[in-house]
Amino acid sequence: MDTTERVLTLLGLLQQRRVWTGPELAERLGVTPRTVRRDVDRLRTLGYPVNAGQGVGGGYQLGPGQALPPLLLDDEEAIATAVSLLAGVGGEAGLRALSKLDQVLPARLRQSVKALSGSVSSFGRERSFGDPAELMTLARACRDQVLVDFTYSSGPRRVEPYRLVASDKRWYLFAYDLDRDDWRTFRVDRMSEVAARTWRFQPRPAPDAATYVQEGVTSRVYKYQGRFLVHAPASVVRAAVPPSAAIVHDRDDGKSEVVTGADNLDFILMHVVLLGHEFEVLGPPELSARCHLVATRMLAATGFVPPAGEIDPAR
């Protein structure tokens, strides 16, 4: 290695481990301890605070400080960092960190990160953390359009991966299940032994990934799906309802339509009542009937007797 390459390699080694002895660094770099000392002095001149300790347990250590320039990352580390930011941090802090990383990445890596980011969708306000290595494997498979095998809670799966979708709670893979011949949503935290294959697939017409996953998470997987007209703007309702619990649609009249699901009709009603706004049940019929019955019981619990025929307890 020439001097510049060797100094950069030294910097990378100091970033990988807390303390290195002089002989260890000399062996890794293929130079003498004296050359290591000169290279350390070069790093200090560039603004890197490298501390040197004597005796047992001593060695070279990269210290903290405002003069410390950006971390030195190889290709795999840079892409993994970018995917981790896409996958884990979310919010303004994640966007700022990702933009700073983009400024220092070589052009070839910026293209890779851009392609991987195109494999990620979201319908939550914040992105939950996930296993960066696993998420990167899935994101690359979506980008490269190659089949993925994995073990799920219900058994082995073989799919065409299309998008990684992040909610406010967890990560999902939107994919076409080849064994079931249909679109499926998979929770990434329930996947194991994830492996991308070399067999490429021809993308088929697909629904919007984020919308499909959100509909599945909030309503489609449940026994009952409820639709409500809530007398409050969608922005107000969204602030009170997690995106993984319900879909909130805008209405032109200052109201909003809420779609949610549960295996129990009372659970659906309870969550809408707790929003604190007037609402109307749009469907299904059994939900309207249940709301009528619950309202009758609530009125009876207060001792209020409605006028005859106003509320039919039989319903």
Side-chain angles (χ1 to χ4, degrees):
M1 292 183 285
D2 60 28
T3 302
T4 302
E5 183 182 359
R6 190 178 64 247
V7 171
L8 290 174
T9 303
L10 172 61
L11 177 59
L13 291 173
L14 291 172
Q15 291 172 344
Q16 291 175 17
R17 208 168 80 186
R18 197 172 70 88
V19 178
W20 290 85
T21 66
E24 287 176 330
L25 290 172
E27 181 180 357
R28 292 293 294 270
L29 296 171
V31 297
T32 65
R34 183 178 178 181
T35 301
V36 170
R37 289 193 294 271
R38 287 201 301 264
D39 289 345
V40 167
D41 288 337
R42 291 187 177 97
L43 286 176
R44 288 168 176 162
T45 302
L46 293 171
Y48 290 88
V50 182
N51 302 322
Q54 302 295 326
V56 179
Y60 294 105
Q61 179 180 2
L62 195 60
Q66 293 183 346
L68 184 63
L71 293 177
L72 186 69
L73 303 174
D74 61 27
D75 288 12
E76 287 295 315
E77 291 170 339
I79 293 176
T81 301
V83 173
S84 297
L85 289 171
L86 288 167
V89 178
E92 291 300 320
L95 291 176
R96 289 197 304 270
L98 193 58
S99 65
K100 290 179 180 178
L101 180 63
D102 183 70
Q103 292 175 8
V104 299
L105 286 177
R108 67 181 190 282
L109 293 186
R110 283 202 301 271
Q111 291 302 317
S112 295
V113 170
K114 182 178 180 181
L116 287 175
S117 65
S119 302
V120 176
S121 300
S122 174
F123 61 84
R125 290 183 289 270
E126 295 290 336
R127 292 179 179 175
S128 57
F129 284 93
D131 180 354
E134 191 170 84
L135 289 169
M136 186 162 62
T137 297
L138 293 172
R140 281 177 166 166
C142 293
R143 178 197 66 183
D144 299 336
Q145 298 172 355
V146 295
L147 300 183
V148 168
D149 294 338
F150 57 89
T151 300
Y152 203 56
S153 53
S154 57
R157 296 296 182 97
R158 184 172 58 98
V159 304
E160 296 175 354
Y162 280 75
R163 284 289 185 278
L164 278 171
V165 179
S167 75
D168 54 330
K169 290 185 177 181
R170 50 181 62 94
W171 277 89
Y172 301 88
L173 175 66
F174 171 65
Y176 193 85
D177 192 319
L178 295 174
D179 296 322
R180 289 155 180 80
D181 196 27
D182 200 2
W183 296 103
R184 289 289 189 270
T185 297
F186 302 97
R187 276 178 48 175
V188 174
D189 61 317
R190 292 180 177 174
M191 299 167 62
S192 61
E193 302 177 75
V194 178
R197 302 306 181 189
T198 57
W199 298 292
R200 296 178 61 88
F201 62 87
Q202 183 66 34
R204 62 187 79 215
D208 179 74
T211 300
Y212 184 91
V213 173
Q214 187 180 19
E215 289 175 350
V217 170
T218 58
S219 61
R220 195 167 50 239
V221 296
Y222 295 106
K223 181 179 180 180
Y224 300 107
Q225 293 80 43
R227 292 174 55 246
F228 300 88
L229 180 64
V230 179
H231 296 201
S235 58
V236 174
V237 178
R238 287 194 186 101
V241 179
S244 58
I247 300 176
V248 182
H249 297 290
D250 290 286
R251 297 262 302 207
D252 295 334
D253 54 3
K255 301 176 183 178
S256 55
E257 182 178 336
V258 176
V259 181
T260 186
D263 292 329
N264 185 298
L265 290 173
D266 290 343
F267 287 166
I268 300 178
L269 291 171
M270 176 186 69
H271 288 301
V272 177
V273 168
L274 290 177
L275 289 176
H277 305 290
E278 294 184 11
F279 66 91
E280 304 168 36
V281 179
L282 299 179
E286 56 264 36
L287 182 60
S288 298
R290 187 65 183 177
C291 184
H292 200 118
L293 177 59
V294 171
T296 301
R297 290 176 177 173
M298 297 289 285
L299 288 172
T302 66
F304 175 78
V305 180
E310 183 172 311
I311 294 181
D312 181 7
R315 295 186 62 187

